[in-house]
């Protein structure tokens, strides 16, 4: 398996609380992505990074922020969680010309 | 931007051949990937096409026509374990990397 891990794997949180999900890689890949997956919508890009401190918005970025202070870590933060952010979150990594490798996912429930 | 279209669901019989199509309109192109995703699991890489033509990997093959904005994934000798969602993926570059919504394949005996 590619060296990519997500933490936590499962989390239940209350509406209005901040939540941070972590993606950690040991592959030194340039690109890192955060996706959410919901029934009927497939995988939708939240934010992505193309280098340390270089990030950009995806198609569903509202309510989310990210940070990449070092190559191996890409953090996704929900500043104030809402029930609509209940989802499965996947992190992915890749380099130019290579396939993307995915973490095992984080199941987040906002109650 | 990118516009990607895949059928939502397909069914096939064990042992048969199935073709899953992906059509796209993109503002640039630097390759197309196919992924398989079983329920509750992460997507896993199947194949990559950057030039026109057919790429074969065992029971799985993928075809690309850049001029037609068209790709397909061909699965031969279907097995029950092939029941999964199949996604085409554009990695991006100067544009947002995007997945198609996926095709749910159901293989029945």
């Amino acid at each position: 398996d590619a060296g990519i891990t997500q933490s936590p794997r499962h989390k239940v949180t209350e509406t209005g609380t901040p939540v941070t999900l972590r993606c950690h890689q040991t592959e030194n890949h340039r690109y890192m992505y955060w996706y959410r997956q919901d029934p009927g919508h497939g995988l939708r890009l939240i934010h992505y990074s193309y280098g340390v401190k270089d990030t950009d918005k995806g198609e569903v970025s509202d309510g989310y922020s990210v940070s990449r202070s070092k190559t191996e870590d890409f953090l996704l933060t929900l500043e104030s969680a809402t029930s609509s952010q209940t989802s499965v979150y996947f992190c992915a990594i890749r380099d130019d010309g290579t396939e993307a490798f995915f973490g095992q996912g984080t199941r987040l429930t906002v109650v | 931007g990118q516009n990607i279209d895949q059928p939502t669901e397909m069914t096939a019989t064990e042992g048969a051949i199935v073709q899953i199509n992906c059509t796209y309109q993109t503002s640039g192109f630097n390759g197309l990937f196919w992924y398989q995703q079983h329920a509750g699991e992460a997507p896993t890489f199947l194949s990559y096409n950057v030039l026109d033509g057919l790429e074969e990997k065992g029971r799985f093959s993928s075809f690309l026509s850049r001029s037609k904005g068209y790709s397909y994934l061909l699965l031969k000798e279907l097995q029950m374990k092939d029941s999964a969602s199949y996604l085409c993926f554009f990695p991006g570059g100067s544009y947002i990397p995007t997945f198609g919504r996926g095709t749910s394949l159901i293989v029945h005996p």
Side-chain angles (χ1 to χ4, degrees):
Chain A
D1 287 343
I4 175 172
T5 55
Q6 292 183 229
S7 59
R9 293 291 312 281
H10 301 272
K11 186 169 181 67
V12 179
T13 192
E14 293 186 349
T15 299
T17 60
V19 177
T20 294
L21 308 183
R22 181 183 184 229
C23 179
H24 178 77
Q25 63 151 326
T26 57
E27 304 295 323
N28 200 36
H29 282 0
R30 177 184 178 189
Y31 301 99
M32 298 186 76
Y33 310 95
W34 276 108
Y35 290 89
R36 60 177 290 175
Q37 188 169 37
D38 306 287
H41 290 280
L43 282 156
R44 292 183 293 173
L45 184 66
I46 305 171
H47 282 279
Y48 68 106
S49 170
Y50 44 95
V52 173
K53 298 186 179 179
D54 291 324
T55 65
D56 208 346
K57 296 179 180 180
E59 61 179 306
V60 290
S61 59
D62 287 349
Y64 301 95
S65 62
V66 290
S67 66
R68 191 172 179 196
S69 59
K70 44 186 178 176
T71 300
E72 55 266 37
D73 288 325
F74 192 34
L75 303 180
L76 177 70
T77 298
L78 291 67
E79 299 293 344
S80 178
T82 68
S83 59
S84 65
Q85 293 176 312
T86 292
S87 187
V88 178
Y89 292 84
F90 286 102
C91 176
I93 61 173
R94 65 177 287 269
D95 255 344
D96 292 302
T98 71
E99 68 267 33
F101 299 96
F102 285 81
Q104 290 306 299
T106 296
R107 186 172 295 276
L108 177 68
T109 303
V110 183
V111 298
Chain B
Q2 297 168 88
N3 186 23
I4 305 168
D5 192 36
Q6 297 181 241
T8 302
E9 187 175 291
M10 299 181 71
T11 59
T13 304
E14 193 175 16
I17 299 173
V18 70
Q19 178 176 310
I20 302 174
N21 297 326
C22 174
T23 58
Y24 63 90
Q25 294 174 316
T26 66
S27 55
F29 183 84
N30 63 348
L32 181 153
F33 293 82
W34 282 96
Y35 282 81
Q36 179 191 61
Q37 186 178 25
H38 286 100
E41 299 181 7
T44 55
F45 168 73
L46 288 178
S47 69
Y48 172 57
N49 294 75
V50 66
L51 299 175
D52 290 352
L54 189 68
E55 293 284 339
E56 297 189 77
K57 293 179 72 174
R59 294 191 299 115
F60 295 80
S61 303
S62 57
F63 172 83
L64 175 66
S65 170
R66 288 172 294 171
S67 62
K68 295 181 179 178
Y70 169 66
S71 174
Y72 66 73
L73 182 69
L74 194 70
L75 292 75
K76 304 175 186 176
E77 301 170 13
L78 280 173
Q79 302 175 10
M80 299 296 290
K81 67 178 182 179
D82 296 329
S83 292
S85 184
Y86 293 85
L87 308 128
C88 59
F89 170 64
F90 292 83
S94 59
Y95 47 94
I96 294 175
T98 306
F99 277 91
R101 291 194 174 187
T103 299
S104 178
L105 174 66
I106 300 168
V107 180
H108 52 83

